[in-house]
């Protein structure tokens, strides 16, 4: 097990290095000059030159990358050009918000998508199957921003049940924090539930045709036991893979949803950074997002060993 984890970590290091090279070089191709943005409306040439020297904007790109990577290796992701705050501090402030939103959205997705996928596979060709597929296609087709706006109009404006926007830390006021996160988590979760439902249905359909499922039924086992204990357990591997990828996407930040509900997470942070040419923030957020994806893939691989005895014996 430790050897397997070590190999995965060795693969993760060059992957993160390649990501850092891409994000550092590609954003330099963006139009605009951060020095002009920071100089203000007057754009005094002396101020612009001072900014270029301070943030090493006059250095060759390979030199800039070397300075930045040297800081990354020591835990220093640089300083925001816009707010003059350390990027590590900005990420530390926004990451709990994004994690909370991602966890709640993933819970919504699993509570809706997995049971719907199982029922759809078990009741293949019946009314439940058609209804579940219709709901899944609707979830994939409805844009998140439209659903979010409709929920705000109905739940917040008309009914007054939940706040329309804003955010409160779960460590300050847990009840208020959950109230502000319910609607954005539902908006994100319904879209993910549709994808999760389709993959769960496909995996279950394949497993339900297996010989061991027919044997379990022939032994007279209860249908619920056959579906949950024998079929669903063996269909979990592709579902775990998909869940890890979807959770990684949520950690990257749901840009539109965070903008609509005014949630100060990764999505809003990186959008503001791109518009203001805040290179250090963009680089730091993308690098952390890539690390999050790799971490979720590692967790998915570890779950494989817990769910599949054959993989443990092979190892």
């Amino acid at each position: 097990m430790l050897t397997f984890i070590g190999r995965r970590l060795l693969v993760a290091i060059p992957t993160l290095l390649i990501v850092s090279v891409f994000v550092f070089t590609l954003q330099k191709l963006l139009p605009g000059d951060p020095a002009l943005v920071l100089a203000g409306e007057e754009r005094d040439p002396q101020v612009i030159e001072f900014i270029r020297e301070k943030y090493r904007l006059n250095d060759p790109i390979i030199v800039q990358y070397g300075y930045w990577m040297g800081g990354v290796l020591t835990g220093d992701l640089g300083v925001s050009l816009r707010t003059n705050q350390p990027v590590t501090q900005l990420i530390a402030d926004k990451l709990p918000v994004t994690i909370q939103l991602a966890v709640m959205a993933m819970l919504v997705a699993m509570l809706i998508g997995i049971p719907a996928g199982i029922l759809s596979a078990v009741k293949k060709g019946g009314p439940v199957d058609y209804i579940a597929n219709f709901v899944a296609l609707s979830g994939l087709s409805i844009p998140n921003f439209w659903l979010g706006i409709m929920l705000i109009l109905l739940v917040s404006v008309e009914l007054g049940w939940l706040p329309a926007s804003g955010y409160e830390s779960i460590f300050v006021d847990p009840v208020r924090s959950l109230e502000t996160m319910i609607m954005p988590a539902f908006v994100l979760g319904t879209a993910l539930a549709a994808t999760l439902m389709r993959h769960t249905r496909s995996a279950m359909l394949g497993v339900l045709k297996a010989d061991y499922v027919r044997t379990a039924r022939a032994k007279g086992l209860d249908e619920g036991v056959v579906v949950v204990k024998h079929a669903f357990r063996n269909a979990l591997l592709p579902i775990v893979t998909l869940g890890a990828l979807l959770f990684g996407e949520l950690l990257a930040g749901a840009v539109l949803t965070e903008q609509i509900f005014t949630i100060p997470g990764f999505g809003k942070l990186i959008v503001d950074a791109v518009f203001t040419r805040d290179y250090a923030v963009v680089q730091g957020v993308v690098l952390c997002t890539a690390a999050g994806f790799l971490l979720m893939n590692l967790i998915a691989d570890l779950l494989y060993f817990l769910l599949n005895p054959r993989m443990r014996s092979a190892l």
Side-chain angles (χ1 to χ4, degrees):
M1 177 67 76
L2 293 177
T3 303
F4 174 78
I5 295 175
R7 289 175 180 173
R8 283 294 188 180
L9 293 177
L10 288 177
V11 172
I13 293 173
T15 302
L16 287 176
L17 183 63
I18 293 172
V19 169
S20 69
V21 171
F22 269 101
V23 68
F24 192 90
T25 54
L26 291 178
Q27 72 171 339
K28 296 295 184 182
L29 301 177
L30 292 174
D33 187 345
L36 296 179
V37 175
L38 293 173
E41 296 182 357
E42 296 183 0
R43 296 184 176 179
D44 188 317
Q46 294 182 347
V47 174
I48 294 175
E49 187 60 28
F50 171 78
I51 293 172
R52 291 185 186 279
E53 291 294 331
K54 179 180 179 181
Y55 295 105
R56 305 181 186 277
L57 298 177
N58 288 330
D59 294 340
I61 187 171
I62 188 66
V63 176
Q64 295 182 41
Y65 176 78
Y67 276 113
W68 177 68
M69 183 51 64
V72 170
L73 295 177
T74 60
D76 181 12
L77 295 176
V79 178
S80 170
L81 301 178
R82 183 167 58 95
T83 63
N84 205 33
Q85 289 181 279
V87 176
T88 50
Q89 182 61 47
L90 289 173
I91 292 176
D93 292 339
K94 307 298 183 184
L95 187 58
V97 182
T98 299
I99 290 177
Q100 182 184 351
L101 179 59
V103 169
M104 292 181 64
M106 204 65 207
L107 287 175
V108 172
M110 290 190 297
L111 291 175
I112 297 175
I114 293 178
I118 294 174
L119 288 174
S120 179
V122 173
K123 305 293 185 180
K124 181 184 177 183
V128 174
D129 186 21
Y130 288 113
I131 293 173
N133 278 283
F134 173 78
V135 173
L137 290 174
S138 300
L140 291 172
S141 304
I142 296 175
N144 286 349
F145 68 88
W146 183 86
L147 181 59
I149 293 172
M150 293 299 105
L151 282 178
I152 290 174
L153 291 175
L154 176 62
V155 178
S156 300
V157 178
E158 295 294 332
L159 301 176
W161 290 349
L162 295 171
S165 61
Y167 172 76
E168 186 67 56
S169 173
I170 195 171
F171 302 108
V172 176
D173 189 346
V175 176
R176 178 68 178 178
S177 179
L178 292 176
E179 289 177 347
T180 57
M181 281 293 197
I182 288 176
M183 284 198 295
F186 181 79
V187 170
L188 291 174
T190 50
L192 299 182
T195 304
L196 202 57
M197 176 267 168
R198 298 290 296 175
H199 280 74
T200 302
R201 179 181 184 273
S202 177
M204 286 293 295
L205 286 175
V207 172
L208 287 172
K209 298 176 183 178
D211 293 337
Y212 57 84
V213 173
R214 286 195 292 266
T215 303
R217 284 173 173 161
K219 289 180 178 180
L221 295 179
D222 183 75
E223 183 66 16
V225 175
V226 173
V227 171
V228 176
K229 185 177 180 180
H230 294 276
F232 179 63
R233 183 177 180 181
N234 288 279
L236 270 177
L237 293 183
I239 298 173
V240 168
T241 303
L242 177 65
L245 294 176
L246 292 177
F247 192 78
E249 290 181 8
L250 290 173
L251 290 179
V255 177
L256 290 176
T257 304
E258 289 185 4
Q259 291 286 349
I260 291 172
F261 291 97
T262 322
I263 298 175
F266 264 14
K268 194 173 188 308
L269 177 64
I270 197 168
V271 167
D272 294 340
V274 170
F275 277 118
T276 56
R277 303 295 184 269
D278 201 342
Y279 292 156
V281 174
V282 175
Q283 293 160 188
V285 172
V286 173
L287 195 63
C288 288
T289 300
F293 264 103
L294 293 173
L295 177 62
M296 293 310 304
N297 278 290
L298 177 60
I299 293 174
D301 289 337
L302 294 177
L303 288 175
Y304 289 168
F305 288 95
L306 298 177
L307 296 172
N308 194 336
R310 288 176 296 180
M311 296 186 69
R312 292 198 298 270
S313 61
L315 183 64

